[in-house]
């Protein structure tokens, strides 16, 4: 006991020292303060400070269990994580078992730690800094600290602060008069307006794209082209517009097979955390529940046979970093969370349809069940690490290497489905020629494993919770935020390593190296090695984020067909900040791509434009802008492709029409001045559009048949 309280005393002193150092540093920096910026009222900055001090009070209560979730645990899991790395994976059972025994040891080891490290190595880092100031100054001499504006970070603030401290970067909690390198927003790209440089942790339009209806639409477009590749998303119908279709299809299905007893899950379009979700067994139930006015929602086939652990249904939350859209760069966190239901699972029946604790895995719901188990261990309780789940299933003989590679494929394919429209949003907010900023974003993928181990995509969150504490009733009616070691373990790693990857120094290096194949991971690894040699490293763990794209470009690039359609759309949209194509631009597209002829007159073109645009306007009731949206343009493109190349399947029709369009535009580009193209300041690795001659592309296609149904092997 004595040693433990000694440890807390030491931690307290170290924290105070650190705070003193921070305020000293802050004094030298031009923090946005009432003194420096007159537009900020004095009490606003006071409020901000009060918030900060409040968070440090939280921090104090957190330190208790931080001393449990410490650097040692991180290292243990760091090893586990690196064992999950797809490229040099060793998924043999022995390996996983040895990792997992480490996981099981965590609790015991942690209780023995007594004053070694705390807060993911953070306090240890501080201690070193205060003991021998040499390290800090050497690092400072080495290069300027990266600056992060955290004023809009909201609920990710605690995890973000920890990450910044671990990196020894500079935080601007109430903003800065001059530009910061990185802006961390809690909600959307627009949290701070008028940012013209640096990097923002949100893409414009991501929230909109990830609403349930839009995600379903984007995946469905891909399903039309690549049905086998996109069968990881449950069959879905968009309400209210597809209610009749849903009703008819299910009636036909049941008529054909009377033993079929499907269940469906209804999800409100903009809902989250399980809000407003319910299960039905027949389309008629939907009418009975919602009356004649069916709200905007997605109704989806309910996966009846999920994989169970301890008889409980669970899902996986994986963090995915989209580092850039152009070129497309995707990273996956090697560690994630598994969220468990709190009532044993039974296949849906009329009796149990309303049992939310049995069917819905949302933390926000299950935390209210009396059966919810908060645990400091990563492998027990109602929220666990994904690696501990992998261990459990590996011990039953499951090939977790295959599970992991299927998950990677699901993530890459989903991002590929989202990119076309994201590029349209991006260009509307940051048109080519505008100085910046550039964007990146951490997404939360919710994945369900079926009993047969096939991963199914449930949804993607634009703002995954980065909270590292949870509310607990400490005495009757009294709630307090207490630290959650499992959340801290996973989320601080994800934020810190996202920052490391977005470090402007690495970005620059990446641009320079891009032609030579260097990756930011390589740059970070090289720097780490250098620092270790010089004894400067505060032993930051190896990156917990693993690049999967462009790494697996070969296996997935053939899926980026819609992105090529979007490139044509963007070209005719111009750079005026709009997202809709007007009738004249549509005509120009047809003319420039030489798509009209005697059997398809310009009058037919106008009719096509009006028909499709009107229908889409009805489906997107809240949209303020008039004209043809990307989805409508894609529909028109599919129509034109089917009209021109009748005898072949849709995807071939579309690829053939793309060739025609790109070929025609390519010819025109040669006679035009080169257009400024700056969506992100790195070289393009997007599927070839206007940059290479159509002839070369045709040759390329012949050489590499489309491999539409071939299973992607993400391990090579
Ligand atoms: P929300 O954004 O409200 O959390 P989700 O789509 O994530 O909505 O659904 C909530 C929960 O419902 C999921 O965490 C999962 O447990 C369950 N769920 C969602 N879709 C399905 C499905 N198609 N089959 C089985 N369970 C599902």
């Amino acid at each position: 006991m004595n040693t433990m309280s000694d440890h807390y005393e030491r931690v307290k002193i170290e924290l105070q020292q650190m705070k003193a150092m921070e305020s000293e540093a802050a004094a030298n920096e031009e923090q946005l303060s009432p003194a420096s910026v007159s537009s900020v009222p004095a009490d606003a900055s006071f409020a901000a400070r009060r918030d900060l001090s409040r968070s440090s009070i939280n921090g104090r209560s957190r330190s208790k269990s931080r001393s449990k979730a410490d650097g040692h645990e991180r290292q243990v899991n760091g090893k586990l994580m690196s064992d999950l790395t797809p490229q040099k994976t060793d998924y043999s059972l022995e390996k996983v078992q040895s990792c997992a025994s480490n996981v099981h040891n965590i609790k015991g080891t942690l209780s023995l730690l007594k004053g070694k490290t705390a807060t993911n190595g953070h306090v240890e880092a501080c201690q070193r800094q205060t003991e021998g100031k040499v390290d800090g100054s050497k690092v400072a001499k080495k290069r300027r600290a990266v600056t992060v504006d955290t004023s809009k970070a909201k609920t990710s603030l605690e995890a973000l602060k920890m990450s910044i401290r671990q990196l020894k970067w500079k935080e601007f909690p109430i903003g800065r008069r001059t530009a910061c390198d990185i802006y961390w927003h809690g909600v959307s790209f627009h949290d701070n307006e008028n940012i013209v440089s640096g990097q923002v942790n949100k893409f414009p339009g991501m929230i909109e794209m990830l609403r349930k209806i839009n995600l379903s639409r984007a995946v469905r477009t891909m399903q039309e082209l690549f049905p086998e590749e996109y069968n990881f998303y449950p069959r879905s119908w968009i309400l209210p517009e597809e209610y009749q279709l849903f009703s008819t299809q299910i009636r036909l299905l049941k008529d054909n097979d009377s033993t079929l007893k499907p269940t469906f899950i209804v999800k409100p379009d903009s809902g989250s955390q399980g809000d407003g979700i319910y299960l039905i067994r027949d389309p008629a139930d939907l009418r009975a529940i919602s009356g004649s006015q069916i709200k905007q929602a997605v109704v989806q086939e309910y996966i009846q046979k999920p994989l169970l652990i301890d008889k409980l249904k669970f899902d996986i939350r994986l963090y995915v970093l989209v580092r850039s859209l152009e070129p497309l760069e995707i990273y996956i966190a090697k560690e994630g969370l598994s969220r468990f239901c709190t009532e044993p699972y039974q296949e849906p029946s009329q009796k149990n349809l309303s049992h939310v604790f049995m069917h819905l895995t949302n933390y926000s719901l299950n935390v209210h069940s009396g059966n919810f188990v908060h645990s400091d261990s990563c492998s027990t309780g109602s929220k666990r690490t994904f690696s501990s789940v992998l261990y459990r299933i590996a011990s039953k003989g499951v090939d977790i290497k295959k599970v992991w590679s299927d998950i990677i494929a699901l993530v890459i394919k989903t991002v590929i489905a989202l990119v076309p429209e994201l590029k349209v949003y991006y260009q509307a907010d940051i048109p080519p020629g505008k100085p910046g900023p550039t964007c990146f974003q951490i997404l939360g993928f919710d994945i369900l494993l079926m009993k047969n181990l096939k991963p199914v995509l449930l949804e993607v969150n634009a703002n995954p919770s980065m909270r590292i504490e949870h509310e607990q009733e400490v005495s009757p009616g009294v709630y307090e935020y207490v630290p959650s070691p499992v959340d801290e373990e996973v989320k601080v790693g994800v934020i810190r390593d996202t920052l490391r990857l977005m470090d402007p120094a690495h970005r620059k290096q990446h641009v320079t190296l891009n032609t030579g194949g260097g990756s930011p991971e390589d740059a970070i690894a090289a720097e780490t090695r250098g620092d270790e040699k010089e004894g400067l490293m505060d032993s930051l763990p190896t990156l917990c984020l693993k690049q999967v794209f462009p790494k697996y470009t070969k296996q997935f690039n053939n899926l980026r067909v819609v992105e090529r359609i979007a490139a044509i759309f963007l070209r005719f949209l111009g750079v005026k900040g709009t997202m809709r194509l007007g009738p004249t631009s549509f005509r120009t597209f047809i003319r420039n791509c030489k798509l009209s002829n005697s059997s398809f007159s310009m009058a037919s073109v106008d009719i096509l434009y009006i028909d499709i645009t009107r229908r889409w306007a009805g489906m997107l009731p809240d949209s303020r802008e008039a004209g043809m949206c990307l989805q409508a343009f894609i529909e028109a493109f599919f129509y034109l492709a089917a009209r021109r190349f009748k005898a072949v399947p849709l995807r071939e029709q579309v690829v053939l029409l793309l060739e025609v369009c790109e070929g025609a535009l390519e010819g025109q580009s040669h006679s035009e001045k080169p257009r400024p193209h700056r969506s992100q300041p790195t070289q393009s690795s997007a599927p070839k559009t206007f940059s290479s001659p159509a002839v070369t592309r045709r040759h390329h296609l012949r050489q590499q048949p489309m491999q539409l149904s071939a299973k992607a092997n993400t391990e090579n």
Side-chain angles (χ1 to χ4, degrees), residues 17-31 129 145 168-172:
Q17 284 171 336
M18 188 187 71
K19 274 188 202 146
M21 282 172 60
E22 272 182 351
S23 40
E24 205 180 295
N28 299 330
E29 262 294 333
E30 347 102 80
Q31 293 273 0
Q129 209 173 12
K168 300 205 180 94
W169 287 8
K170 200 157 273 179
E171 182 196 352
F172 288 81

Side-chain angles (χ1 to χ4, degrees), residues 331 334 497-498 500-501 520-521 524 541-546:
Y331 288 74
K334 293 171 209 161
D497 289 353
T498 294
R500 285 164 85 186
L501 282 165
E521 286 163 288
I524 290 168
T542 51
L543 279 179
C544 74
L545 292 165
K546 181 78 211 148

Side-chain angles (χ1 to χ4, degrees), residues 450-505:
M450 286 169 55
K451 199 174 173 186
N452 64 6
L453 298 166
K454 186 177 148 52
V456 169
L457 176 69
L458 298 177
E459 69 158 345
V460 188
N461 289 277
N463 290 315
S465 162
M466 285 294 170
R467 266 194 191 282
I468 50 174
E469 64 274 288
H470 61 82
E471 216 175 90
Q472 207 172 40
E473 195 169 13
V474 283
S475 55
V478 181
Y479 290 86
E480 212 175 69
Y481 276 113
V482 296
S484 166
V486 180
D487 286 285
E488 185 174 318
E489 170 65 25
V490 175
K491 294 173 184 174
V492 173
V494 170
I495 294 187
R496 183 198 56 230
D497 289 353
T498 294
L499 290 174
R500 285 164 85 186
L501 282 165
M502 302 318 297
D503 182 337

Side-chain angles (χ1 to χ4, degrees), residues 2 54 127 169 194 238 273 313 326 329 331 375 388 428 506 566 571 606 626 672 675:
N2 257 350
R54 214 182 288 142
Q127 193 174 0
W169 287 8
N194 304 323
I238 291 160
Q273 306 191 324
K313 176 176 170 177
E326 184 74 55
E329 286 182 53
Y331 288 74
S375 169
S388 77
H506 295 310
R571 184 183 171 113
D606 290 342
E672 280 171 12
R675 282 158 34 89

